[in-house]
Amino acid sequence: MASFAPYTYIQCPCVDLTSRSRPVDDAPSPTSQDSHDDDDDRAFDPRAPRSNYSLYPIEYLLYCDVCSQIRCPRCVAEELATIYCPNCLFEVGSSSLKTEGNRCTRSCFQCPICIGPLAVQSLESAPEPSLLSAERASPVPPSGPWILACSYCNWNSSEIGVKFDKPQGIFSQLQKLRHGEDHSKHTTPGDISPTKSGHEADTPKARFAALKAFYNAQNNLNSTNTGGLAGIGDFGFNSPGALSRIMNLYSGNTASGLKPKAKSSMMREADSAGEGFRVADLDDSTAISKLRRDGWEGTVASDQAKSQVEEGARFADELWPIPYLLRTKRSKRCPVCRHIISKPESKVSNTRWRIRLVANNNIPSITIKPLNPPITSGLLKPLQPVQYLLTFKNPIFDEIKVTLATPATTPGRFASKVTVLCPQFTIDANTDTDMYLDDVLKDGDKDGRRRRGDEGTTHQAEAGKIWERGRNWVSIVVEVVPASLRVEEPSGLLGDEGGPDLSPLKEDEDVLEIPMFVRLEWEGDVSQDQVGSTTAGKEKDSREKKELAYWCAIGIGRISQE
């Protein structure tokens, strides 16, 4: 069995807002619900299916210093800062995305076989320097035709009959070849190429463009013949005597005053290949013969088919070079106050951040380790008390008051007992190490006396006292009594039918996870957004009380099944 590493995951507060605002169709009426079923009174269950989408490591979370709240990747509002190609690092404007799509148009392509980068190469080899030539003659540059070649799997575009006249503008040349324009310049009668003869639209994109142009022309033709109020004029409602004619309909006098209906014009359907029409080819004899000839190696894998820009490729000779998909740099805002909490540098080659408010620099980090490391395997023995050390490290320059709360037993089928010996304590501020290095060295003996409580010398964990204290960190003791994993014994939690749940052990059900509610209180500087620009100078030294509360899941270890 693989070794288990203790972990700490933090729940984002946005989950509570989402669960309260989402209606439930089969929910009972408010009168039939008890008061203890409210979300505020229920303990957090880290094994619930929704918890998989709300628990994050502290490294994945951001922090809004205006709202004093944690923000996860699901609740932040993202804005595009820069759009660029990952191959050539060329920055693309947002306006060109509507016309050119989200692909690079600067001759950047990927191999359709191995997704490696393709390079432009000439089919004609360069002349050898050993051959006789005139003195001081300039070297002859290689001439076309040109192809796209992969240096990893040795695939090239000549295998599908695609060649180019010049090494520049590969994207536009490839579009012409694929959409049926000028495709017969570099193809021979014996080549098996995905390009078709004639100027018919063969790809789904070209057929859609042809159908759109045809029906737009039909619509414009009908609108010019019938006028602007054709839909109303056909029924005779656009004349001055419309009211009297409507009254005649209800009175029964239908023979007087009604205009004959104008015959509505019929719209012709597309019936040729140039208009986007294509007859379905139900004869698969060609595909079957090609499959027998080329075998399994000649077919397209599912990953290769998904990476294609257009669908429909079934064989290897139908794969086209893939233009690079554009990437983005995104800035993130708080969904409540719209404050920027993450903003990268706009330059593509720069990987730094202008603004990056990570939660690791604003809320205490939580680490866990056993008080007495086990000599045997790392599995927890059922029904035997084990003590662990929870260490809280303060990253900010203010003193923090921490209040902890845990349920008496962990949720789930196998309920383990949990006891926090010191649920309330304070953590000193994080001072600058370089500035106060001499003070830290001088007060080394004093810090040693502060460990294991105030001034006590006992080595046993006591209720209401911390275990160890440092400059900006505090360690407390948590006692856990693991539950027994024997499914044949009735457990305290009943199943859906009122009896004990005797089903086999599920995946990761032997992991002991503790839900813990953490509440932080500290006094910090008033943010500029709350004070305002006019009173910022007067209230420069003012401080306000800030609070933060969240649930976290602490993974202790695996319980032995023996």
Side-chain angles (χ1 to χ4, degrees):
M1 182 179 293
S3 60
F4 183 88
Y7 57 84
T8 302
Y9 294 155
I10 298 177
Q11 184 194 37
C12 182
C14 68
V15 180
D16 297 336
L17 300 177
T18 305
S19 60
R20 292 177 184 177
S21 60
R22 180 180 291 113
V24 181
D25 297 336
D26 55 351
S29 59
T31 56
S32 62
Q33 292 181 350
D34 297 332
S35 59
H36 60 81
D37 293 336
D38 296 336
D39 294 338
D40 296 337
D41 298 336
R42 285 186 301 181
F44 170 64
D45 186 5
R47 298 183 181 275
R50 290 179 57 87
S51 301
N52 296 331
Y53 304 96
S54 61
L55 292 174
Y56 297 91
I58 192 174
E59 295 81 10
Y60 284 67
L61 297 174
L62 299 175
Y63 180 80
C64 179
D65 54 356
V66 177
C67 301
S68 300
Q69 284 291 340
I70 301 172
R71 301 302 176 197
C72 67
R74 296 178 63 228
C75 66
V76 294
E78 294 184 348
E79 297 179 356
L80 296 182
T82 307
I83 307 172
Y84 66 97
C85 172
N87 186 43
C88 61
L89 299 181
F90 179 76
E91 185 175 350
V92 181
S94 58
S95 59
S96 62
L97 293 179
K98 299 180 181 180
T99 57
E100 300 177 356
N102 58 345
R103 300 278 178 173
C104 181
T105 59
R106 301 184 70 250
S107 303
C108 299
F109 291 91
Q110 291 177 286
C111 176
I113 304 299
C114 65
I115 318 297
L118 296 179
V120 181
Q121 297 180 2
S122 175
L123 284 177
E124 294 185 2
S125 59
E128 297 183 4
S130 61
L131 299 179
L132 296 177
S133 61
E135 296 181 358
R136 298 179 181 179
S138 60
V140 180
S143 58
W146 305 81
I147 60 172
L148 291 173
C150 177
S151 59
Y152 184 78
C153 64
N154 297 327
W155 181 89
N156 59 77
S157 60
S158 63
E159 297 181 8
I160 60 174
V162 175
K163 304 173 186 178
F164 308 97
D165 292 332
K166 52 185 179 179
Q168 295 84 16
I170 299 296
F171 184 84
S172 59
Q173 296 183 61
L174 191 63
Q175 290 293 100
K176 291 181 179 180
L177 292 174
R178 187 162 193 178
H179 292 167
E181 300 178 6
D182 301 334
H183 64 279
S184 58
K185 291 183 178 181
H186 303 298
T187 55
T188 58
D191 288 342
I192 301 176
S193 173
T195 57
K196 305 297 181 183
S197 60
H199 295 277
E200 301 176 357
D202 185 65
T203 60
K205 183 178 181 180
R207 290 199 305 272
F208 176 78
L211 285 172
K212 183 178 180 181
F214 169 74
Y215 284 111
N216 283 337
Q218 292 287 318
N219 192 20
N220 294 335
L221 182 61
N222 294 334
S223 62
T224 55
N225 294 337
T226 59
L229 297 175
I232 301 178
D234 292 344
F235 296 95
F237 295 152
N238 58 346
S239 62
L243 182 58
S244 62
R245 289 195 298 270
I246 293 175
M247 296 302 295
N248 289 333
L249 289 176
Y250 287 98
S251 61
N253 300 328
T254 58
S256 60
L258 279 178
K259 287 185 178 180
K261 294 182 180 180
K263 184 180 291 185
S264 60
S265 57
M266 300 297 295
M267 183 177 291
R268 184 176 66 86
E269 298 290 344
D271 57 359
S272 63
E275 297 173 351
F277 176 76
R278 188 184 69 172
V279 180
D281 187 10
L282 302 179
D283 187 11
D284 293 337
S285 58
T286 305
I288 293 174
S289 61
K290 185 185 293 187
L291 182 60
R292 291 175 178 174
R293 183 181 68 251
D294 299 338
W296 178 261
E297 299 295 333
T299 58
V300 176
S302 60
D303 295 338
Q304 297 173 353
K306 291 178 182 178
S307 60
Q308 288 291 303
V309 178
E310 297 183 3
E311 300 178 355
R314 294 187 295 176
F315 296 94
D317 56 0
E318 299 175 358
L319 295 175
W320 287 79
I322 308 169
Y324 267 88
L325 194 66
L326 298 179
R327 303 292 189 269
T328 59
K329 282 187 172 183
R330 304 184 182 186
S331 60
K332 300 179 181 180
R333 291 180 178 268
C334 175
V336 178
C337 65
R338 307 297 297 175
H339 182 66
I340 298 178
I341 56 180
S342 176
K343 186 176 182 180
E345 289 286 348
S346 59
K347 192 175 181 180
V348 175
S349 59
N350 197 341
T351 59
R352 296 181 179 179
W353 298 86
R354 286 187 178 181
I355 302 173
R356 186 70 172 173
L357 302 179
V358 295
N360 203 8
N361 296 336
N362 294 275
I363 64 174
S365 60
I366 305 175
T367 57
I368 185 169
K369 64 179 181 179
L371 180 60
N372 299 316
I375 303 177
T376 58
S377 62
L379 298 179
L380 301 176
K381 295 183 179 180
L383 306 179
Q384 291 189 6
V386 185
Q387 292 182 345
Y388 282 84
L389 283 180
L390 278 181
T391 302
F392 293 79
K393 189 174 182 180
N394 182 14
I396 64 176
F397 298 100
D398 300 312
E399 184 180 284
I400 297 180
K401 179 182 178 181
V402 183
T403 305
L404 306 178
T406 57
T409 57
T410 58
R413 185 165 51 149
F414 306 102
S416 302
K417 297 181 180 180
V418 182
T419 304
V420 180
L421 297 186
C422 185
Q424 192 172 6
F425 54 90
T426 58
I427 311 176
D428 295 338
N430 181 22
T431 55
D432 195 349
T433 306
D434 297 334
M435 184 181 300
Y436 298 97
L437 182 59
D438 297 337
D439 298 338
V440 172
L441 294 177
K442 290 179 182 179
D443 297 341
D445 297 338
K446 182 179 178 181
D447 290 343
R449 290 192 301 267
R450 293 173 62 188
R451 297 186 178 186
R452 292 179 176 82
D454 299 328
E455 296 290 338
T457 58
T458 177
H459 295 277
Q460 278 188 348
E462 299 180 12
K465 292 187 178 180
I466 63 173
W467 175 260
E468 196 171 3
R469 180 187 295 273
R471 180 170 54 90
N472 64 328
W473 55 271
V474 169
S475 295
I476 63 173
V477 178
V478 176
E479 186 173 279
V480 179
V481 181
S484 177
L485 300 181
R486 296 181 180 180
V487 295
E488 62 271 14
E489 297 181 0
S491 59
L493 191 62
L494 300 181
D496 297 337
E497 300 179 356
D501 187 4
L502 302 180
S503 60
L505 197 67
K506 300 181 179 63
E507 182 181 4
D508 290 339
E509 202 172 7
D510 57 341
V511 176
L512 178 55
E513 247 179 353
I514 301 176
M516 181 174 291
F517 185 76
V518 182
R519 181 182 177 87
L520 308 176
E521 299 179 16
W522 73 97
E523 290 186 0
D525 297 333
V526 180
S527 60
Q528 296 293 333
D529 294 345
Q530 296 178 357
V531 174
S533 58
T534 58
T535 59
K538 299 179 181 179
E539 301 187 14
K540 182 178 179 181
D541 298 333
S542 62
R543 300 175 67 83
E544 62 177 354
K545 185 177 181 181
K546 298 184 179 181
E547 297 179 358
L548 176 62
Y550 57 88
W551 282 95
C552 64
I554 302 176
I556 299 294
R558 293 186 179 273
I559 304 175
S560 177
Q561 303 181 18
E562 297 179 356

